[in-house]
Each structure stands twice: as C-alpha cells, then as structure tokens.
Amino acid sequence: MTEASTALVLGASRGLGLALAEEWLGRGWRVIATARGASEGLDALARRYPDALAIEQVDINAADAVRTLRARLDGRRLDVLFVNAGIARAIEASPATADEADFLDMMLTNAFSPVRAAELLRDLVPAGGTIAVMTSELGSIEHAGGGWQLYSSSKAALNMLMKGYAAKHAGDGHVLLLVAPGWVRTDMGGSDAALSIEESIPLVVDMIEANRGEPGLRYVDRFNRRISW
Ligand SMILES: NC(=O)c1ccc[n+]([C@@H]2O[C@H](COP(=O)([O-])OP(=O)(O)OC[C@H]3O[C@@H](n4cnc5c(N)ncnc54)[C@H](OP(=O)(O)O)[C@@H]3O)[C@@H](O)[C@H]2O)c1
C-alpha cells in the first residue's frame, strides 16, 4: 500500500484554511493543520479524522513558533505546504486615512511572514512537492481597481516576495503557487461574496493537483488560469 500524502496548512482555524484541511482529509491525505489558539472547527475535524489530522499551534508572525514547528516535524515529508494565514484591515481606507498599524500588520501577516514560513519549512518538501501561498486576485497590479487598496498592496508585496523566493530557490524543484481562491463567503470575504467555500476550495485542491510535476512559480486562480501580475 502506498503511503498517504501529507499537507501542512498554516492558518487553518476557520474559513478557507479549515476547508483546505477538510478537503485533503476527505481525499485520504494526512493533514497537519495549524491554528493560533483553540479552534472548534479543527477539534471537530480531529474527531472525524483522529488518525489523519494533527493540530499544531503556530502564529506565523512569530518566527520562533515556525522554527519550533520545523523542529517538531523533523523527518516528515510534506507533499504540500500551504500557507493560508492572512488578515484584512482598514479595507475602505487609503494612506490618507488609514491607521499605520493596520497597514503594517497586513504587510507582516500577508506578505513577510508567509514567505518567511516558506523559507523555514521548505526543506521538508521534497523535489516535485508543492509550496502554495494564498494570495488574492486583488494582488494583481495590472487588474487593480482601487478597492481594498491597502490589503491589495500587501498581496502584491506577497507576490513580489514569492518572485524573489522562486529565483533564489530555483534548484529546489518545487511547484510554487500563488493561489487566488475567488471572492468567498468567510469572515474575511463577508456575506456578499460571490462564492461559497464549497464552490472554491475543492477547485483549489484540484488545481494544486493539476500543477503537480511542473516546477516553477505561477500566479493562478482556482481554475488554474494564469493571472496577470
Ligand atoms: N475570503 C476571500 O474572499 C478571500 C479572497 C482572496 C484571498 N483570501 C485569502 O485567503 C486566506 C484565508 O482567508 P479567509 O477568507 O479564510 O479569512 P478568515 O476567515 O478571516 O481566516 C483567516 C485565517 O488566517 C488565520 N491567521 C490570521 N493571522 C494569522 C497569524 N498571524 N498566524 C496564523 N494564522 C493566522 C486566522 O486564524 P485566527 O482564527 O487565529 O484568526 C484564520 O485561520 C487569507 O490569506 C486571505 O487573504 C480570501
């Protein structure tokens, strides 16, 4: 019997990250899911999948917590590392009106910390494996229409940081994906969003599967369509 594949999802307490964990568990994978604190959603999943789900505590903004996770996973092999954690603050604001702290929090959580996590965990992913990071359609500079200006800027910064990461680690043989899931009804996306979680996440996981075996960085939506930078 072949060994089950393993996904590590960083930021899986609720919303899209929790759904990613559930989707891979449903497909027979092993999942390591991280949360900053208690998560009712992950606890419920652990009752359904007691052998396949492991829950770890990590705040991705705390480098030491990510290093501790790396040490705890020593010897494990990750088929997919998915950095999902993200925040949206001051979505109506511009630099003229925003609280600076909100912008700095987004730049740290949405751009800097995900790529630092990829740097600290990449050696757990073998050549041919996948590192995916949740960005957004709003991270596209070409398509920017001014909405969610500060959040969009943090996702554009994430995309740029991943460009640099990809150039630095071209020899890893990793599939590197900047994932745009669509506008989805979660705490962040809000109730007016176009898609249910069920309309987005299974397609995201299909898309990751479709990219298997093709190393290099791509900015893609859930249908595996390229998005303009
Ligand atoms: N929903 C959408 O329409 C949409 C569209 C495009 C992109 N995205 C992106 O998709 C990702 C998930 O969004 P969502 O809609 O599921 O948002 P959400 O419902 O607000 O969930 C955000 C998740 O990120 C976690 N998180 C935030 N800061 C963290 C940190 N410092 N360390 C670890 N985990 C942290 C949260 O954990 P806690 O429970 O501890 O807060 C939660 O699990 C984000 O990167 C978001 O930018 C969402």
Side-chain angles (χ1 to χ4, degrees), residues 63-182:
D64 284 350
V66 182
R67 286 196 187 92
T68 300
L69 176 69
R70 166 66 192 84
R72 282 172 58 77
L73 297 179
D74 211 24
R76 297 289 297 273
R77 169 202 154 101
L78 303 177
D79 298 279
V80 175
L81 163 61
F82 198 117
V83 188
N84 171 72
I87 56 171
R89 304 256 189 279
I91 55 175
E92 305 287 347
S94 74
T97 57
D99 182 337
E100 289 165 16
D102 285 334
F103 184 63
L104 295 176
D105 284 351
M106 284 191 286
M107 289 302 267
L108 181 64
T109 305
N110 295 352
F112 184 90
S113 296
V115 181
R116 178 173 58 192
E119 291 277 6
L120 293 174
L121 297 167
R122 55 182 263 276
D123 67 342
L124 297 173
V125 181
T130 300
I131 298 179
V133 185
M134 198 67 106
T135 183
S136 169
E137 282 83 351
L138 295 177
S140 168
I141 290 175
E142 185 166 332
H143 294 314
W148 292 45
Q149 185 184 10
L150 303 177
Y151 169 86
S152 299
S153 302
S154 72
K155 292 296 191 179
L158 167 65
N159 292 357
M160 177 62 93
L161 283 166
M162 279 305 289
K163 274 271 194 178
Y165 176 99
K168 251 176 77 184
H169 300 302
D172 283 358
H174 289 159
V175 180
L176 300 173
L177 299 173
L178 282 160
V179 177

Side-chain angles (χ1 to χ4, degrees), residues 175-179 211 214-220 224 226 229:
V175 180
L176 300 173
L177 299 173
L178 282 160
V179 177
N211 277 280
E214 291 190 47
L217 176 67
R218 291 178 289 283
Y219 177 22
V220 283
N224 204 17
R226 300 286 188 105
W229 299 94

